[in-house]
Amino acid sequence: MRHSSYVIRADFCWSKSLEEVAYQENGWLVCENGRSAGVFAHLPGQYHSWPILDYTGQLAVPGLTDLHVHAPQYRFRGTGMDLELLEWLNTETFPEESKYADPSYAEIAYQQFAEDLRRGPNTRACIFATIHTGATLQLMDILEESGLCTMVGRVNMDRNSPPTLCEASAAVSAAATRAWIQEAQGQYRRTKPILTPRFIPSCTDELMRALHKIQQETGLPVQSHLSENPDECAWVQELCPGSTCYGDAYRQFGLFGGPGCPTIMAHCVYSTEEEIALMREGQVYVAHCPDSNTNLSSGIAPIRRYLQEGIPVGLGSDVAAGTQTSIFRAMAQAIQVSKLRWRLADPSLLPLNAREAFYLGTIGGGSFFGQVGSFEPGYELDAIVLDDTRYTPIKGMSLDKRLERTIYLSEDQDIRHKFVQGRMLF
Amino acid sequence: MRHSSYVIRADFCWSKSLEEVAYQENGWLVCENGRSAGVFAHLPGQYHSWPILDYTGQLAVPGLTDLHVHAPQYRFRGTGMDLELLEWLNTETFPEESKYADPSYAEIAYQQFAEDLRRGPNTRACIFATIHTGATLQLMDILEESGLCTMVGRVNMDRNSPPTLCEASAAVSAAATRAWIQEAQGQYRRTKPILTPRFIPSCTDELMRALHKIQQETGLPVQSHLSENPDECAWVQELCPGSTCYGDAYRQFGLFGGPGCPTIMAHCVYSTEEEIALMREGQVYVAHCPDSNTNLSSGIAPIRRYLQEGIPVGLGSDVAAGTQTSIFRAMAQAIQVSKLRWRLADPSLLPLNAREAFYLGTIGGGSFFGQVGSFEPGYELDAIVLDDTRYTPIKGMSLDKRLERTIYLSEDQDIRHKFVQGRMLF
């Protein structure tokens, strides 16, 4: 179906704000030119002649956004989980990412990754590729074809990296980045480049300066990693004695949010007061990755604190340190780790609840893409429709409970239909 | 297939001990009269004429044991997760369990529960029913029919419970328990009764004395809850001023392990030094329920400590405070919460690894049923055979990695065959 104006009939749940989820049983969602015109209890007269997609009894929620995922790590998710970050990078991650120098390897692996994403509940994602320009463009081609909306980053690394993943110099890395942006230009409707210095330890000052220049010229957004692990934080402090905190090391190069430089930082487990102030000032997006932070024994990010500060927060799968691509799983895990943090470390920050986690996985991350992640009028129409009878074989359960069960119990196999920007994927 | 002597060809993983997993690619598992005669790299001559079940390329592991699950809570799993234990019991659990007074409700709900178990990776389970004798016997009938091996408890509650779940007196509760045991006698091959005082707050001293007497007469095993939540622990201290710890409140009534009284205690998150000594002395089984302890914000049990003490430990789903029946999920969560506990609370106890979690979910809990949970010679032949190509579409990955991925990524849909005591369920 290619027309982008129609009506969906289903049971709807969507966030209006962090505090409020709206529910409409047996409602009508109007899609007008790819955007929501609202959800109605009774279909207004002017839409009576529009095509109707009747999913009566099924559950429709906004598409989910994965703010942080590594496509070239997809193949080894669920292995090497008994290591910490820096060891895990050297033992598992870097050897695998090196394989993406080979276009035929990249083709197969990225097809598997994209197919997983296509079938799952996420409609948007911010994705790390590798340093390989060719493979990054292959990934962008494949994702464009999938119908999903994504931002994809060719990764920059010019120090402290294995020879197979270390670019020859800052100049070489910057030139390759420019060539990649050039080549992607005008090629895609749904797939956008995003600047991706891997993290401070992998990037020389000269490279950071060059990326800042590219950012200024192109206005491209930025994604990277921040304050994930104690050893990593200590290393950054050594590498950047002139920075007041890890975040400041990005900020000094103009790559930490602010006007015209939308930025996502993954993790933020160990952000100091100073760093939190910089994140707020730059409106830097936190990509909260609870599965990854657990699997690599990193810790638990103080998400409620960030929300209290008005810092934007979304969820990330962080495959392959996280094992699951579904952001429903990240919602459940965000709630779960916040409870353990409350109990074990800091009773001053109350646990997140299901309503808040749903917001984070929809509008929270979606807003990095614009008006995305809700069915409120004007939002781009990203939606998934689930048949929840496999895990809720019970008639008459209220919509708020069906939503909570969907967060904890749904699997990709339960998804019946998926829409991105009003376009039906299946 | 009803003969119980045959050979399975597959890729095998099984625990030999807490420290050692054995792997055999393209091996031969010989089942002789329902028990393993070992796994062989080459099939010994004497078995050449036996029937062969050829699952070449698929992964076979021992059936998993769920040491703690509430059958009547299955229907509402994944809802009410934003509450703590005592509030959750009153708001969600007790109203639902009250419905099992109605045999037609129980029939439908227990059929759904048993069907979920039958399709999943668990072959053994220790199960709480409710105070309703009729519904408990229905559950036992249904489980017997499913082919699984289980222990099922009619629950005792005669104080601090809502009127619909509070038995009239200790004498009434004890008499009903005797009648239930009587009625179950000789009815089942795979389904055994287990004494089930809900927890100290729900049982008067008189009831505990009566249950001790029944235990002495019948030799039945015992299951209950222990030191799950700080408020609950404080309450038990108030209720039992004469006990030195929560565990001692059970021990004083002779229901805390020791010769002739095999006992499972779920949770053990807040066990004191004194309680740990009693658990070791009585060889009380800890049912570690990481999903539940996370969802109800209870905390994280010090499992490595218990293992160091030589206390037996298995895993529990604790549905519905846990949302997933699969003990593969409990393995992953046991690893995950142990990492967070290490990082946030106590660096002296190293995280559990995949090998140890696999042991806990197989032999760890299985040993409560006897020689169960391994393919070592003499063990009862419980096995599941998985086609792992959905989540591992990669040829040549080593068996230890395939096992780790199975822990993190497998779903019930990947299970192709299931054997209990040598009998093929599907």
Side-chain angles (χ1 to χ4, degrees), chain B residues 329-349:
Chain B
R329 285 304 82 72
M331 291 181 193
Q333 289 157 343
I335 298 166
Q336 291 175 321
V337 300
S338 75
K339 289 172 174 174
L340 293 176
R341 192 179 191 286
W342 169 79
R343 176 64 81 188
L344 271 68
D346 181 2
S348 78
L349 294 182

Side-chain angles (χ1 to χ4, degrees), chain A residues 75 77-78 80-82 84 291 294-295 297-298 324 336 339 343 353-354 404-405 408 411 413, chain B residues 75 77-78 80-82 84 291 294-295 297-298 324 336 339 343 353-354 404-405 408-409 411 413:
Chain A
R75 275 168 74 94
R77 74 200 190 288
M81 297 276 80
D82 295 329
E84 268 192 75
D291 194 23
T294 300
N295 287 327
S297 302
S298 300
Q324 312 286 334
Q336 291 174 321
K339 289 173 174 174
R343 175 66 80 189
N353 58 40
E404 192 178 2
R405 289 172 81 98
Y408 286 98
E411 293 172 3
Q413 58 175 302
Chain B
R75 275 169 75 92
R77 75 201 189 286
M81 297 276 80
D82 295 329
E84 267 192 76
D291 193 22
T294 300
N295 287 327
S297 303
S298 301
Q324 313 284 335
Q336 291 175 321
K339 289 172 174 174
R343 176 64 81 188
N353 58 38
E404 192 178 2
R405 289 172 81 96
Y408 286 98
L409 302 173
E411 293 172 5
Q413 57 175 301

Side-chain angles (χ1 to χ4, degrees), chain B residues 315-338:
Chain B
L315 299 176
S317 69
D318 196 21
V319 161
T323 61
Q324 313 284 335
T325 53
S326 165
I327 291 298
F328 281 133
R329 285 304 82 72
M331 291 181 193
Q333 289 157 343
I335 298 166
Q336 291 175 321
V337 300
S338 75

Side-chain angles (χ1 to χ4, degrees), chain B residues 12-23 60-62 331 354-364 372-377 379 403 407:
Chain B
F12 297 94
C13 307
W14 70 101
S15 282
K16 292 169 85 85
S17 68
L18 184 64
E19 288 78 27
E20 190 186 353
V21 176
Y23 302 99
V61 301
M331 291 181 193
R355 195 175 61 239
E356 293 166 330
F358 183 58
Y359 174 89
L360 295 180
T362 54
I363 297 180
V372 171
S374 180
F375 295 147
E376 290 293 288
Y379 273 73
L403 177 61
I407 290 172

Side-chain angles (χ1 to χ4, degrees), chain A residues 63-71 74 77 109-128 139 142-144 146-152 317-319 323-327 369 384 412 415 418-420 425-426:
Chain A
L64 313 185
T65 293
D66 187 346
L67 271 192
H68 186 68
V69 56
H70 293 263
Y74 177 76
R77 74 200 190 288
Y110 282 154
Q111 289 282 6
Q112 289 171 341
F113 168 74
E115 178 56 19
D116 184 319
L117 244 59
R118 199 188 65 82
R119 285 184 293 106
N122 311 345
T123 55
R124 311 267 170 159
C126 295
I127 303 173
F128 280 55
L139 175 59
I142 291 167
L143 287 165
E144 178 75 9
S146 75
L148 303 169
C149 272
T150 60
M151 300 189 194
V152 177
S317 69
D318 196 19
V319 163
T323 61
Q324 312 286 334
T325 53
S326 166
I327 291 298
F369 288 80
I384 56 169
D412 290 358
I415 300 172
K418 187 167 176 177
F419 299 82
V420 183
L425 264 57
F426 59 84

